[in-house]
Amino acid sequence: MTSPPPPSSAASVLDLAPAAVVPVVVVEDAADAVPLARALVAGGLSAIEVTLRTPAALDAIREISGAVPEAVVGAGTVISPEQVTACARAGARFLVSPGWTDALLTAMRACGLPFLPGVSTASEVVALLERGVRDMKFFPAQAAGGTAYLRSLAGPLPQARFCPTGGIGPDNAPEYLALPNVCRVGGSWMVPAEAVAARDWPLIEDLARTASRLTAGGTCR
């Protein structure tokens, strides 16, 4: 008789912060990381995903972790075990990947941080459930079928909980958050590139405050 798989992590990414929106941040200059994080936190968005899409990303995570303790800073676009280790050392408090492999999943589980592996098909969802992972990122949300696809998954796979990202903005975020299997959404509409480049932190705080008012209306808790 086989033992059940271990839980995905000691805590859930989807339960780390009260807001239903997780800003997905691309930091080009690490000097912008702290004021950007402070603006998001002041606007009510304390869980911040810094994507590993730029050379400044790890420094940005390190700066936010050290200077903005009220922020729950995590790393996104994590695609290798080596990145898992580097993000943990930089002070990331959660990990998000666009997809997953067994090697990546093993590394994320072993590091002890909450993690959110990415899926876009029912087979990937089932494979993760077999491995004891209940909480997942649905990516790229709009391109992979959007709310209609997630609604279809809720019937046969009600135990899976999702944070959709990719193509989500203020107009369609409420539709996603109304689904019973969606606990959070991720997006970058509250951190537009031009506002970050202009260091317009008051604008970002205002956009974050508006986004923080969104709530998950389904039963995903």
Side-chain angles (χ1 to χ4, degrees), residues 66-216:
V68 194
E70 61 270 37
V72 182
V73 62
T77 323
V78 178
I79 60 172
S80 73
E82 294 77 17
Q83 287 181 329
V84 170
T85 301
C87 292
R89 288 176 176 170
R93 293 174 60 183
F94 64 91
L95 306 171
V96 182
S97 66
W100 66 277
T101 64
D102 279 321
L104 180 59
L105 192 66
T106 298
M108 290 193 294
R109 199 192 299 271
C111 85
L113 294 175
F115 60 88
L116 208 59
V119 298
S120 60
T121 69
S123 294
E124 291 171 320
V125 174
V126 171
L128 282 178
L129 290 174
E130 285 182 350
R131 290 159 173 79
V133 179
R134 179 188 179 203
D135 296 342
M136 310 169 196
K137 170 179 176 172
F138 182 61
F139 175 83
Q142 282 291 93
T147 55
Y149 193 89
L150 284 170
R151 191 177 294 111
S152 297
L153 291 179
L157 301 169
Q159 62 272 58
R161 310 195 309 169
F162 299 99
C163 176
T165 69
I168 297 178
D171 294 333
N172 61 2
E175 185 180 356
Y176 278 94
L177 288 167
L179 297 176
N181 53 354
V182 171
C183 307
R184 302 281 185 273
V185 297
S188 57
W189 73 88
M190 73 297 296
V191 283
E194 59 273 16
V196 176
R199 295 178 168 84
D200 192 344
W201 313 130
L203 173 60
I204 290 172
E205 181 179 337
D206 287 344
L207 293 172
R209 184 169 292 108
T210 299
S212 72
R213 298 189 184 108
L214 295 173
T215 59

Side-chain angles (χ1 to χ4, degrees), residues 12-22 45-47 72 184:
S12 168
V13 173
L14 300 182
D15 299 325
L16 282 177
V21 177
V22 178
L45 301 181
S46 56
V72 182
R184 302 281 185 273

